[in-house]
Amino acid sequence: MERSTVTRTLTILAQDPSVREAENGRMLRAKVQVPFEHLDSGPRGYRVRVTDYDSAQNRLYQTAKVCDYCDRFEDVADDELLSSPAFHAQNVYAIVMRILTRFEAALGRRVSWGFPSHQINVVPHAFAEANAYYSEEDRALMFGYFQGSDDAPVFTCLSHDVVAHETTHAILDGLKDSYTLPSSPDQAGFHEGFADVVALLSVFGLPEIVAALLGGQGKAPTQIDRANLEPNALRRSVLLGLAEQFGREASRGRNDALRRSVDRLPDAKALGTSEFEEAHVRGEIFSAAMLNAFVEVWCARLKGWLPKLDTRVPVDRVAEDGAEAAGQLLTIAIRALDYCPVVDVTFSDYLSALLTADRELVPDDGKYHYRILLRREFARWGILPATSSSLSIGVPASEQGTILEEGGWERPANENCLRYDTVHRDSLHRDRDEVFRLLWENRRTLGLFEGVHTGVLSVRPCVRLGLDGFSLHETVSEYMQVLDLKAGELADLRSDNAPEGIPKPEDMPDETPVRLYGGGVLVFDEFSRLKYHIRTRLDAPARQGRRLKYVWENGLSGQDGRYGVSDHSCPGQRFALMHLQRSGRLAKEEW
C-alpha cells in the first residue's frame, strides 16, 4: 500500500555557513516543511528542477537522489554539507519551494512562473562569479560561487537570503510581468526592496532560528534581558544581526542594503533627491518602511504579556511572537500584489494596495493595528496612499482630518452603472474572453482609452482565509493597453483627462518612437460583481510624462529604438547586471 502525506521535512542552512551555533560550532541549520511530491533525482519536482551544471568547469554534477520519506542530511557533519553538491541541490530546492508555497498560501491560488513552463530550472553552481540572479530567458535561477577572503569556496546557493531573494524576483515576474518594463525609479526599487523584505521576513518564520539570533551569533539562551526588547534594541540586535550575516561574502550588496535600510533615518523628502534615483538605494526606503513596521508590531505583541517586574523573560516566547508578527506581515505584503496596478507601480500605489487588500479581509485592523503602523512608517518617508478612497485606511479617526486628497489609483465605477446583460457572469471567474467582453461593453464607463490595442492578461480565482476563519472569494483579472507613436504626436493625444496631450521630454526629437502603456486590475467578488477597478490611465499626463522623462534620460529603449520598451535581446541579464552593480562590481554608468 502506497504511503501518502502532505508535507516533507528537509534540512537547509538557515543563514549561511559563517553562522555557527555557540554550543557545538555547527552551522545554523533548520528543518523546513515543503509540499510532498514524488521527486526525481535532482531534485526535480512539478515546479522546481535542479540541474547542477557548472559552466566554468564544463561539468555536470551527478543528480542528487532524494528519499521520499526521510531527510538524508539531517545529521550530517558540516564538512560533508559544505562539500556535497547533493546537499547544495537540496538546499536550493527546499528554499525555493518554501518561498513559492508561502506566496501561494497568501494569495489563495497557484502562482505561475513568468515564462511558458510549469517548472523553473535552478542551477546551484552555474558559474564562477560572486553573483546570483533570475533569468527569464533561461527560465532559471542561477547561483555562482567564488573564492572567499580565506581562499575557501563561497557558494551563493548556501545563503538563505540569496536564494529567497532570487526566488522572489522570479515569482514577482510571474505575477507582474510588466514590472520589468522601463518605467520609474519606484518600479525598479520595488522589485529589489520587495525581494529583500520577503527574504528577511521568511527567516522569521523559523522561531528556533530567531531564538538563536536573539542571543548573538548562533547562541540559544533560555532567557533574554527585557532591555533588549525595546524597538531600537531589536532593530540593531536582530535585524542588523541578520543583515550582517546574510551571505557575509556571497551577498555583500544585500548585506549593505539591509544594514543601511534599518539604519537610515526617515526623510520625507528623500524620494525627490538624486541620491535615491538609483533602484537599489530607492529600494532601501521600501525595506526600511516595511521592516520598521515589523519591529513595531513585534514590540506591540510583546507588551501584551511581558511581566512588569521581571528583567529577564523566556526567549522562546519572544521568538514565537516575532515569527507570528513576521508571518502575518508577509501575508499582508504578498496579498497586496493582487491590488497593485498592472503597469508603472509606485510606492504610493503599493501602499494603497496594501491597506485596501488587508481591509477587505480584516475590516477592523485586528488586535495589533498593522495598517496603522504600516501607514505611519511609509508616511515618515513621505509616502502616502495614491488613492483618495484609501487615504484614511490605517489612520485613527482622530487624525483623519489631516489627510490630503490625491488622485491616481482608483476605486471602481459604481457597480450599478455596468452592463452585464451580454455577459455570462459565471465565466468571468475563468475566461479571459468573457472578461474582455465585459470591458468592451463598458469601455466608456470604465474609462478605457479607445482605439488602441487592449488585451486581457490573466484571470485568477482566489480564496483567502481571514483571521476569523472565514474565507474571502475573489477573482483578479488584469488587462493592458498599448500605444506606439512618435514623440511629436504626444501633444495630439488629447482627451478629457489630458486636454493638452501628453508632455514629452524637452530635448526628445519629434521623430523618436515611444510606447505608452495603460491598463487595469479588475477585482470581482464571488457573485461576479466588480469590487475594484485599479486603473493606470494611458492618457494620464503627469504619470506618462514622468515615465517618458525617466526612460529618455536613462536611455531605456528596446532593440527597435522605441523608448519605454524593454530590450528582450538578453532579458536574463537584467537582474544579473543589477546585482553586480549592487555589490559594487559595476559602475553606475555601466548600468
Side-chain angles (χ1 to χ4, degrees):
M1 181 176 179
E2 185 180 9
R3 182 178 176 182
S4 64
T5 186
V6 177
T7 62
R8 74 166 75 234
T9 302
L10 293 176
T11 296
I12 64 168
L13 293 190
Q15 290 290 273
D16 61 56
S18 69
V19 185
R20 304 274 175 160
E21 296 180 18
E23 292 83 355
N24 51 34
R26 291 207 323 168
M27 294 184 297
L28 198 58
R29 314 176 191 202
K31 296 179 181 180
V32 297
Q33 301 289 321
V34 298
F36 180 84
E37 55 179 324
H38 295 289
L39 294 166
D40 280 343
S41 297
R44 296 182 180 182
Y46 81 109
R47 302 304 306 277
V48 176
R49 291 169 50 93
V50 180
T51 304
D52 205 353
Y53 174 70
D54 186 338
S55 63
Q57 302 185 46
N58 192 26
R59 177 182 181 184
L60 181 65
Y61 288 95
Q62 183 176 359
T63 56
K65 296 181 179 180
V66 180
C67 173
D68 272 346
Y69 305 109
C70 65
D71 179 5
R72 59 182 289 200
F73 294 105
E74 183 176 7
D75 295 310
V76 174
D78 284 355
D79 290 344
E80 184 176 343
L81 293 185
L82 288 174
S83 61
S84 170
F87 174 71
H88 297 189
Q90 174 172 303
N91 192 68
V92 292
Y93 167 82
I95 296 174
V96 173
M97 283 299 297
R98 181 170 179 261
I99 298 299
L100 176 62
T101 302
R102 192 69 186 80
F103 270 79
E104 292 183 338
L107 293 172
R109 64 172 187 273
R110 295 295 183 197
V111 175
S112 299
W113 302 114
F115 42 81
S117 176
H118 301 292
Q119 299 164 306
I120 191 169
N121 298 304
V122 182
V123 190
H125 310 101
F127 44 78
E129 188 177 343
N131 197 13
Y133 60 89
Y134 158 64
S135 169
E136 180 184 351
E137 181 183 39
D138 298 309
R139 307 177 182 183
L141 298 175
M142 306 284 201
F143 298 96
Y145 63 92
F146 62 101
Q147 294 299 115
S149 56
D150 58 356
D151 292 329
V154 176
F155 300 98
T156 62
C157 67
L158 293 182
S159 172
H160 183 283
D161 164 55
V162 176
V163 179
H165 180 100
E166 303 310 331
T167 303
T168 303
H169 275 315
I171 295 172
L172 191 53
D173 189 44
L175 291 168
K176 299 288 184 179
D177 179 67
S178 61
Y179 284 6
T180 56
L181 293 171
S183 174
S184 68
D186 266 17
Q187 183 161 288
F190 174 74
H191 230 292
E192 289 297 319
F194 189 84
D196 275 340
V197 168
V198 171
L200 186 58
L201 291 182
S202 63
V203 173
F204 278 88
L206 305 169
E208 68 277 14
I209 303 304
V210 179
L213 292 170
L214 280 168
Q217 170 117 337
K219 299 176 184 177
T222 58
Q223 293 189 317
I224 186 172
D225 288 338
R226 184 185 179 121
N228 293 330
L229 301 180
E230 295 299 321
N232 288 334
L234 284 175
R235 286 187 188 96
R236 300 204 59 84
S237 66
V238 180
L239 291 181
L240 252 174
L242 285 170
E244 289 169 349
Q245 298 304 332
F246 269 163
R248 179 172 292 175
E249 292 182 278
S251 59
R252 286 189 291 267
R254 289 185 194 84
N255 170 358
D256 293 340
L258 285 171
R259 178 163 57 249
R260 286 195 303 267
S261 66
V262 175
D263 271 348
R264 284 191 185 277
L265 295 176
D267 181 357
K269 299 180 180 179
L271 290 176
T273 64
S274 58
E275 176 189 356
F276 289 91
E277 282 285 319
E278 198 275 323
H280 300 95
V281 180
R282 204 171 188 89
E284 292 171 21
I285 292 179
F286 181 88
S287 300
M290 294 293 292
L291 298 179
N292 279 298
F294 159 65
V295 172
E296 293 296 332
V297 172
W298 192 1
C299 290
R301 296 180 68 96
L302 293 176
K303 289 179 181 178
W305 65 268
L306 281 177
K308 294 183 179 181
L309 300 179
D310 292 355
T311 58
R312 293 181 65 79
V313 296
V315 70
D316 288 346
R317 177 70 186 274
V318 175
E320 288 174 6
D321 275 343
E324 289 288 337
Q328 184 63 27
L329 182 57
L330 187 55
T331 297
I332 293 171
I334 293 172
R335 284 174 174 168
L337 295 174
D338 274 347
Y339 281 64
C340 284
V342 69
V343 292
D344 299 338
V345 69
T346 66
F347 291 164
S348 290
D349 291 329
Y350 179 79
L351 179 57
S352 276
L354 190 77
L355 300 175
T356 307
D358 189 59
R359 185 182 61 179
E360 287 295 301
L361 202 60
V362 188
D364 64 355
D365 201 10
K367 182 178 180 181
Y368 299 106
H369 306 295
Y370 282 82
R371 294 197 291 271
I372 289 177
L373 294 173
L374 283 164
R375 195 190 185 288
R376 285 178 175 172
E377 288 300 328
F378 275 93
R380 295 174 72 190
W381 288 96
I383 302 169
L384 293 177
T387 171
S388 59
S389 63
S390 63
L391 276 169
S392 62
I393 301 176
V395 179
S398 60
E399 300 179 21
Q400 289 189 13
T402 64
I403 299 298
L404 299 176
E405 289 292 318
E406 295 183 358
W409 193 93
E410 299 179 357
R411 255 203 94 127
N414 187 335
E415 155 73 15
N416 296 325
C417 296
L418 298 182
R419 296 186 59 180
Y420 284 92
D421 53 313
T422 62
V423 175
H424 298 286
R425 284 180 177 256
D426 184 61
S427 297
L428 292 173
H429 297 292
R430 59 180 182 273
D431 192 332
R432 289 191 299 169
D433 290 324
E434 200 68 41
V435 174
F436 184 78
R437 180 69 184 271
L438 178 72
L439 286 173
W440 180 257
E441 294 293 340
N442 297 279
R443 56 192 181 277
R444 294 184 179 85
T445 303
L446 292 174
L448 273 67
F449 195 88
E450 298 189 54
V452 302
H453 173 74
T454 303
V456 176
L457 304 178
S458 62
V459 180
R460 298 163 175 165
C462 315
V463 180
R464 317 190 199 279
L465 186 65
L467 296 177
D468 58 1
F470 287 89
S471 58
L472 174 69
H473 294 259
E474 293 180 331
T475 297
V476 179
S477 183
E478 297 178 333
Y479 71 91
M480 182 181 287
Q481 296 193 290
V482 181
L483 175 62
D484 290 324
L485 69 169
K486 298 292 182 67
E489 299 171 327
L490 289 167
D492 298 326
L493 202 65
R494 296 186 176 90
S495 67
D496 292 341
N497 192 62
E500 298 180 359
I502 306 296
K504 74 176 180 69
E506 292 182 3
D507 55 344
M508 178 182 278
D510 286 345
E511 293 303 310
T512 304
V514 297
R515 175 171 292 176
L516 302 181
Y517 295 96
V521 178
L522 305 171
V523 182
F524 298 98
D525 66 15
E526 58 188 315
F527 304 108
S528 305
R529 294 177 301 203
L530 184 62
K531 294 169 58 178
Y532 290 97
H533 178 206
I534 304 158
R535 179 167 50 137
T536 303
R537 300 182 66 108
L538 193 144
D539 59 340
R543 185 183 286 255
Q544 297 288 10
R546 286 195 302 267
R547 176 177 179 269
L548 287 175
K549 183 175 184 294
Y550 176 76
V551 300
W552 171 249
E553 291 177 350
N554 288 275
L556 301 178
S557 65
Q559 283 182 294
D560 60 358
R562 193 175 301 278
Y563 280 84
V565 180
S566 179
D567 186 353
H568 288 285
S569 61
C570 53
Q573 298 302 310
R574 294 195 299 267
F575 291 105
L577 291 172
M578 289 174 71
H579 291 162
L580 279 173
Q581 179 193 342
R582 185 173 194 171
S583 64
R585 292 177 177 267
L586 279 180
K588 184 175 182 180
E589 290 73 22
E590 293 183 75
W591 172 241

